[in-house]
Amino acid sequence: MLSLQNLSITLKQHILCHPFSLSIQAGQCVGILGANGVGKSTLLKAIGQDLPHQGAILWRGKNIAELNLTQRAKQLAFLPQQTQLNFAFSVYEIVEMGAMMYAISKQKLNVMLKYILDIFDISALRNKNFLTLSGGEKQRVQAARVWMQVLASTEKKLILLDEPTSALDLKHQHQFLQQCRQLAQQGHLVLIVLHDLNLASRYCDQLFLLQQGGFYAYGTPAELLTVTNIQYLYQYHAEIYQQSGQVRVW
């Protein structure tokens, strides 16, 4: 379980997130939604301890702030919106970095690498220079590195993904989110910042809605993706349809 206890974020005397408390069960894919500038990435960074905050953040009963870097890397996996990498590593080498902290045999590592390269459709890029790839290809390679970090151990992890589908085409958006669902079904907790409400409705178990100043609501897509909520959060009058048990937003 992830427990956010009286969490707030203030930078340079500017309140980005007013205090709130929330507990989120593991084994779920949770979409973080809200308009531009409301603090979705800020919240994710605070949970991952990349941004100062007030209050306590507990993962599986442990205060994340009290973990050292190695312990944190074994408990959390974080894919930021932008990853600065200016070295000419191969795709293979970058994905392999996800397993650096674990003692894994070469044989097992190769099996895992093949599996992860396959599920992100980057096997053909294996020996390519990362710097020569397109934006979408780079995003898939970085995602593969995070998946390696998650799957290289048996510990259930808190997985933080900041707009991971922003550069992906239609096929790879769905492939990526299917992989997120699989991690959740394996007992991990996936928090994912998304902009596409229909993708969030299709793949997320719960939604975490943010407004200017912080927390707005937490619940299922069917509960929260309403005309009223979308109008309030996005200043957009949407049409809502129920189709095959899922919410569709137009």
Side-chain angles (χ1 to χ4, degrees), residues 25-28 59 156-157 182-189:
Q25 293 290 338
Q28 298 187 101
W59 169 241
K156 303 307 178 187
K157 289 186 173 57
Q182 285 194 18
L183 290 186
Q185 290 164 2
Q186 292 165 13
H188 303 284
L189 175 57

Side-chain angles (χ1 to χ4, degrees), residues 24-42:
I24 304 175
Q25 293 290 338
Q28 298 187 101
C29 183
V30 178
I32 300 177
L33 306 181
N36 291 338
V38 297
K40 300 182 294 296
S41 297
T42 296

Side-chain angles (χ1 to χ4, degrees), residues 39-236:
K40 300 182 294 296
S41 297
T42 296
L43 174 65
L44 218 60
K45 289 176 183 177
I47 294 173
Q49 305 299 307
D50 283 350
L51 199 67
H53 62 273
Q54 298 75 46
I57 301 173
L58 279 64
W59 169 241
R60 298 171 65 192
K62 297 179 180 179
N63 192 326
I64 297 174
E66 296 175 357
L67 303 178
N68 61 39
L69 288 176
T70 300
Q71 292 170 329
R72 196 179 302 165
K74 290 181 177 181
Q75 296 286 330
L76 277 69
F78 184 28
L79 180 61
Q81 197 173 127
Q82 295 182 335
T83 305
Q84 299 299 326
L85 182 61
N86 297 316
F87 296 98
F89 292 115
S90 69
V91 167
Y92 174 96
E93 291 170 326
I94 290 173
V95 178
E96 190 178 31
M97 289 177 188
M100 285 177 60
M101 71 196 78
Y102 301 108
I104 298 176
S105 70
K106 190 67 176 176
Q107 182 180 8
K108 182 179 179 181
L109 180 62
N110 287 335
V111 170
M112 291 182 64
L113 278 165
K114 182 182 185 308
Y115 169 72
I116 292 171
L117 292 174
D118 284 346
I119 65 175
F120 285 102
D121 198 18
I122 53 176
S123 296
L125 307 177
R126 177 188 180 101
N127 296 313
K128 284 201 169 185
N129 179 341
F130 177 79
L131 300 179
T132 67
L133 303 181
S134 71
E137 289 171 336
K138 287 179 178 178
Q139 201 164 38
R140 280 150 52 207
V141 171
Q142 293 291 4
R145 175 185 55 78
V146 170
W147 256 244
M148 174 62 82
Q149 181 184 347
V150 172
L151 298 178
S153 78
T154 57
E155 291 210 53
K156 303 307 178 187
K157 289 186 173 57
L158 172 59
I159 303 161
L160 310 173
L161 307 170
D162 193 359
E163 295 190 36
T165 61
S166 60
L168 301 185
D169 59 32
L170 183 63
K171 169 189 170 183
H172 292 111
Q173 285 180 351
H174 286 277
Q175 284 184 343
F176 180 89
L177 291 167
Q178 287 164 6
Q179 293 304 318
C180 291
R181 293 277 305 163
Q182 285 194 18
L183 290 186
Q185 290 164 2
Q186 292 165 13
H188 303 284
L189 175 57
V190 181
L191 299 186
I192 179 169
V193 173
L194 291 169
H195 282 291
D196 189 314
L197 303 188
N198 288 311
L199 286 177
S201 172
R202 179 168 179 176
Y203 290 103
C204 294
D205 303 295
Q206 302 283 333
L207 300 181
F208 189 136
L209 302 188
L210 294 179
Q211 61 183 333
Q212 201 68 47
F215 177 75
Y216 176 71
Y218 182 79
T220 67
E223 292 169 335
L224 297 187
L225 291 180
T226 65
V227 170
T228 300
N229 284 341
I230 293 171
Q231 176 67 44
Y232 178 74
L233 294 176
Y234 294 95
Q235 288 77 58
Y236 175 75

